[in-house]
């Protein structure tokens, strides 16, 4: 049985669906009881509901589990404590594989959510558990939050310079990589080629936001321009929408980093793991456009 934490989130649902489709037995850890039904519909064999910050709950959730796929909620202040508790509980029951959903370049100290993942990775090294660390780049799917706006206004807005170059990855490729890594233990009789490995999961070269807008234009068949919004204007909007102080400050640091240095990586590792080329941003947008057309029919 594979325990997926954060199973009702953006990443969790993609990983859960992919593992279940491949016949793997998944126990989904979700936060709210309203999320049980969706997790079951995606193929979870078992669902546990509770707070990752509660160590008693985590210890109970670990019962009957052989592998863990740990996904911490996005930009979460308690990320390090949660990571420590989950690693400790997994070590206590002696699981055969701990896969940690980290991030590309956790070494970047000025971005607190990256640095906390770095410290969780360190705890994993110290735990003695058989582990694999996955470090995904920025998801292509993040653009979907503003999809309607892009389609309606022809503007793709970002709170950093449009010249900033960023690598992306299709979350579906990340989920398939997760399935490959988790499956290996079962194929190899409790041994895995992926024990002790850290893989950067990058789908594209670093692209400027103008290049991103050009691809959106081509696939949508109408003009889309990239536009930078000032960070204080972005901050005003998200604070009004209820985003927490830690999240806002952390994301401001992240956007500042993107503007100064970009955020790029290399797709060779993911392509090797998937045994095929990674999904391009063009192919991703084409898929989204086709899915939307089907929904409208
Ligand atoms: N987005 C990216 O581009 C990207 C790239 C690389 C790595 N990552 C990493 O991927 C991870 C997951 O990101 P995501 O966007 O998939 O997250 P997400 O959509 O925010 O999902 C987090 C899930 O955890 C639940 N949750 C929140 N607090 C909880 C708690 N205390 N106990 C138990 N569950 C709790 C949330 O429930 P509710 O729905 O009720 O809040 C939600 O279902 C993050 O660590 C992020 O840093 C993201």
């Amino acid at each position: 049985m594979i325990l997926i934490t954060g199973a009702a989130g953006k990443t969790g649902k993609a990983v859960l669906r992919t593992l279940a489709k491949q016949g793997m037995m998944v126990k989904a850890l979700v936060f709210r009881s309203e999320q049980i039904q969706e997790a079951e519909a995606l193929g979870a064999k078992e669902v546990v509901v509770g707070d990752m910050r509660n160590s008693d709950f985590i210890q109970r959730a670990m019962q009957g589990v052989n592998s863990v796929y740990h996904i911490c909620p996005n930009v979460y202040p308690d990320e390090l404590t949660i990571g420590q508790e989950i690693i400790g509980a997994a070590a206590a029951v002696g699981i055969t594989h701990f896969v940690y959903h980290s991030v590309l370049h956790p070494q970047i100290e000025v971005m607190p959510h990256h640095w906390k993942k770095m410290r969780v990775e360190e705890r994993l090294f110290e735990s003695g558990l058989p582990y694999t660390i996955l470090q995904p780049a920025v998801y292509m799917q993040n653009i979907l939050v503003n999809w309607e706006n892009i389609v309606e206004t022809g503007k793709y807005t970002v709170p950093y310079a449009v010249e900033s170059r960023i690598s992306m990855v299709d979350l579906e490729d990340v989920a398939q990589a997760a399935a490959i890594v988790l499956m290996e233990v079962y194929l190899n009789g409790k041994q895995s080629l992926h024990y002790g490995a850290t893989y950067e999961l990058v789908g594209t070269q670093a692209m400027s936001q103008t290049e991103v807008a050009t691809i959106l234009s081509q696939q949508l068949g109408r003009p889309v321009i990239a536009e930078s919004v000032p960070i204080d204007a972005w901050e005003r909007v998200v604070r009004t929408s209820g985003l927490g102080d830690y999240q806002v400050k952390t994301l401001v640091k992240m956007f500042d980093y993107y503007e100064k240095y970009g955020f790029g990586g290399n797709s060779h590792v993911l392509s090797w793991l998937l045994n095929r080329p990674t999904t391009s941003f063009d192919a991703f947008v084409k898929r989204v456009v086709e899915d939307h057309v089907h929904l409208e029919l």
Side-chain angles (χ1 to χ4, degrees):
M1 180 72 85
I2 302 167
L3 176 71
I4 303 182
T5 61
K10 189 197 291 187
T11 311
K13 281 192 275 197
V15 174
L16 166 57
R17 190 186 325 112
T18 308
L19 296 189
K21 265 192 198 155
Q22 298 192 20
M24 287 183 249
M25 302 267 282
V26 177
K27 184 195 272 197
L29 185 157
V30 302
F31 197 26
R32 291 176 285 118
S33 46
E34 302 91 282
Q35 294 163 331
I36 297 175
Q37 213 177 357
E38 188 177 18
E40 284 175 346
L42 290 171
K45 287 278 176 270
E46 212 180 305
V47 184
V48 286
V49 186
D51 192 324
M52 273 189 234
R53 292 165 296 188
N54 178 333
S55 37
D56 290 342
F57 166 64
I58 292 299
Q59 282 161 23
R60 281 198 306 279
M62 213 50 82
Q63 299 308 312
V65 166
N66 313 100
S67 302
V68 171
Y69 192 88
H70 174 46
I71 308 166
C72 190
N74 202 16
V75 195
Y76 214 61
D78 304 314
E79 186 148 10
L80 177 53
T81 345
I82 288 175
Q84 279 170 328
E85 288 292 335
I86 292 181
I87 291 168
V93 297
I95 62 158
T96 47
H97 200 185
F98 193 108
V99 183
Y100 177 45
H101 190 90
S102 182
V103 72
L104 182 67
H105 300 172
Q107 303 92 334
I108 302 171
E109 196 172 351
V110 291
M111 296 202 266
H113 57 321
H114 283 233
W115 189 243
K116 284 182 178 153
K117 285 187 169 62
M118 175 83 167
R119 309 314 299 268
V120 175
E121 292 188 9
E122 194 181 355
R123 298 293 176 275
L124 207 41
F125 303 153
E126 295 162 357
S127 70
L129 281 169
Y131 72 85
T132 308
I133 295 169
L134 301 182
Q135 300 178 329
V138 175
Y139 305 154
M140 294 176 185
Q141 277 74 0
N142 293 352
I143 211 165
L144 300 179
V145 176
N146 292 318
W147 186 255
E148 304 304 331
N149 199 39
I150 293 168
V151 173
E152 278 165 24
T153 65
K155 282 183 188 165
Y156 163 58
T157 55
V158 288
Y160 42 88
V162 294
E163 296 79 22
S164 310
R165 302 189 78 85
I166 296 172
S167 285
M168 290 185 279
V169 67
D170 182 358
L171 182 52
E172 294 302 319
D173 283 0
V174 172
Q176 280 172 29
I180 288 167
V181 161
L182 283 160
M183 182 68 106
E184 186 64 32
V185 177
Y186 296 94
L187 297 177
N188 262 342
K190 300 197 172 176
Q191 279 300 316
S192 172
L193 293 173
H194 304 296
Y195 282 167
T198 300
Y199 298 134
E200 292 186 341
L201 304 183
V202 178
T204 70
Q205 60 181 11
M207 292 188 288
S208 76
Q209 305 317 295
T210 312
E211 286 167 349
V212 169
T214 303
I215 293 171
L216 287 166
S217 275
Q218 287 161 349
Q219 295 299 338
L220 284 166
R222 70 185 84 163
V224 177
I225 52 159
E227 222 174 66
S228 173
V229 290
I231 195 69
D232 45 353
W234 174 86
E235 194 174 331
R236 265 197 307 280
V237 171
V238 295
R239 279 197 189 276
T240 329
S241 75
L243 197 63
D245 192 54
Y246 171 79
Q247 280 78 11
V248 173
K249 285 184 174 147
T250 302
L251 292 172
V252 166
K253 286 175 189 165
M254 181 180 86
F255 296 141
D256 182 54
Y257 187 93
Y258 286 177
E259 178 149 322
K260 282 194 182 114
Y261 309 109
F263 189 58
N266 184 298
S267 64
H268 283 173
V269 170
L270 180 54
S271 176
W272 161 78
L273 201 51
L274 298 174
N275 198 24
R276 61 166 170 80
T278 58
T279 304
S280 66
F281 186 62
D282 298 70
F284 167 76
V285 179
K286 188 166 189 278
R287 194 175 80 213
V288 173
V289 172
E290 282 170 3
D291 285 353
H292 276 248
V293 170
H294 284 129
L295 286 176
E296 280 160 21
L297 285 177

